[in-house]
Amino acid sequence: MDMFEKLKILTDAAKYDASCSSSGTDRGAGGSVGSAAACGICHSWSADGRCISLLKVLYTNYCEFDCAFCINRKSNDVKRTAFTPRELADLTIDFYKRNYIEGLFLSSGVIKNADYTMELIIEAIRILRYEYGFNGYIHSKVIPGTSPELVEAIGLLADRVSVNIEMPSAESLARVAPDKSKAKILTPMRAIQSRKEQATQELALYRHAPKFAPAGQSTQMIVGASEESDLHILRLTQGLYDKYKLKRVYFSAYIPVNNDRNLPALDTKPPLLREHRLYQADWLLRFTNSVQRNCWMMNIQCSMNFSTPNATGH
Ligand code: SF4
């Protein structure tokens, strides 16, 4: 398979990940210039407020896991491919030199197991950083179940790292993503948080101490594929900000791509308005103080109690 075809498959497969800000619409007109629908380049915000373009791609869409909501799950019959570490590094640096992108957003399916896949990703980013001297922004996913040594290695190479929490509760996760577990997700999340705190202390003492994930960590949660309420999701989000010091929690409206009895039907519309409202509430969580937060969380609780129908439907 040539590089163009690999790129087409692996950028298309990456479009469902919402944890870097990106959007696209299909205007449907042929014969004109430009496309707002094609995948591959997305946008994110740097620490100084600039909007930067990122190559958004999977390392591979082969996957050993069988997450019910994912187009790349192992039980789906889709065309599969993978880069080699050098192919991905070459592609990124070529795009950078042509001024197509300023950074990389890298996610992946799972080849063999979490550690084997992370080693390939780390090697690709190592080539970029140390052989090609690429100093641009890199956001890398960390696969649930990754060992602490590899979490350490990726945190020293990437600017931002993220472990996707996927579902709002352990029960929903067990139902739709049986290969993942709360422990496999929260353990690397905790390791990132502790190592980042250690790096911050070291930097205060030694100017040249290595930086660890300087742009912090984020996560992504699918909304509308399970029955948890908005209040439950917001409480979980607040818990993630408090306990794991996440920079952002991204919400992704559930898009039906598979016919699976554990998920809403294929003709279900993605709950985009709900996603939007959660982002508004998330803004309040991040930018208001704890007294204000408790107050409006109680308001949500009261309005939910008030609007919950009783046995007669009133
Ligand atoms: S681990 Fe799950 S969500 Fe990730 S690519 Fe594999 S099937 Fe999809």
Side-chain angles (χ1 to χ4, degrees), residues 59 83-90 119-121 123-125 127:
Y59 183 87
F83 291 118
T84 64
R86 191 156 300 275
E87 279 175 348
L88 182 62
D90 285 350
E119 280 174 9
L120 293 169
I121 288 175
E123 176 59 7
I125 301 179
I127 295 170

Side-chain angles (χ1 to χ4, degrees), residues 288-295:
T288 53
N289 64 38
S290 58
V291 178
Q292 292 167 313
R293 265 199 311 272
N294 288 341
C295 197

Side-chain angles (χ1 to χ4, degrees), residues 67-256:
C67 307
F69 51 80
C70 179
I71 192 75
N72 301 314
R73 65 179 182 171
K74 74 172 173 193
S75 52
N76 275 3
D77 182 17
V78 294
K79 208 167 181 182
R80 312 259 177 186
T81 188
F83 291 118
T84 64
R86 191 156 300 275
E87 279 175 348
L88 182 62
D90 285 350
L91 192 73
T92 308
I93 201 74
D94 284 351
F95 274 24
Y96 178 76
K97 285 180 180 167
R98 289 179 198 174
N99 217 11
Y100 295 165
I101 56 157
E102 288 163 87
L104 175 67
F105 176 93
L106 185 58
S107 186
S108 184
V110 181
I111 309 176
K112 291 190 186 173
N113 54 50
D115 280 355
Y116 183 81
T117 314
M118 285 309 298
E119 280 174 9
L120 293 169
I121 288 175
I122 288 166
E123 176 59 7
I125 301 179
R126 187 201 64 76
I127 295 170
L128 262 175
R129 290 286 197 225
Y130 292 112
E131 291 188 29
Y132 299 159
F134 180 70
N135 207 24
Y137 180 83
I138 297 178
H139 177 162
S140 173
K141 288 279 160 197
V142 174
I143 294 168
T146 298
S147 307
E149 311 80 62
L150 297 176
V151 170
E152 162 90 13
I154 193 73
L156 291 171
L157 288 166
D159 295 276
R160 173 166 285 190
V161 286
S162 53
V163 194
N164 280 359
I165 197 156
E166 309 291 17
M167 303 302 287
S169 71
E171 297 72 39
S172 303
L173 187 71
R175 195 173 66 244
V176 304
D179 304 288
K180 296 178 179 172
S181 68
K182 194 174 159 188
K184 282 182 180 173
I185 292 167
L186 295 184
T187 305
M189 216 181 245
R190 175 67 77 206
I192 294 164
Q193 181 221 340
S194 330
R195 183 61 184 83
K196 184 156 172 55
E197 282 172 5
Q198 183 194 332
T200 308
Q201 287 168 6
E202 287 169 356
L203 272 167
L205 293 174
Y206 312 107
R207 203 155 48 94
H208 297 296
K211 290 182 178 160
F212 184 88
Q217 64 168 325
S218 59
T219 192
Q220 170 177 296
M221 199 185 311
I222 298 169
V223 173
S226 52
E227 62 287 342
E228 292 84 3
S229 67
D230 287 353
L231 184 63
H232 176 98
I233 290 172
L234 290 173
R235 283 201 171 126
L236 173 64
T237 303
Q238 184 61 55
L240 291 169
Y241 286 136
D242 291 343
K243 290 189 201 149
Y244 297 90
K245 305 287 174 257
L246 296 195
K247 282 280 183 193
R248 286 296 303 271
V249 174
Y250 289 93
F251 306 104
S252 174
Y254 165 65
I255 301 172

Side-chain angles (χ1 to χ4, degrees), residues 274-290:
R274 187 176 177 199
E275 178 193 281
H276 177 64
R277 294 284 181 241
L278 284 168
Y279 275 122
Q280 290 176 317
D282 171 78
W283 190 92
L284 290 172
L285 289 182
R286 288 183 294 124
F287 295 105
T288 53
N289 64 38
S290 58

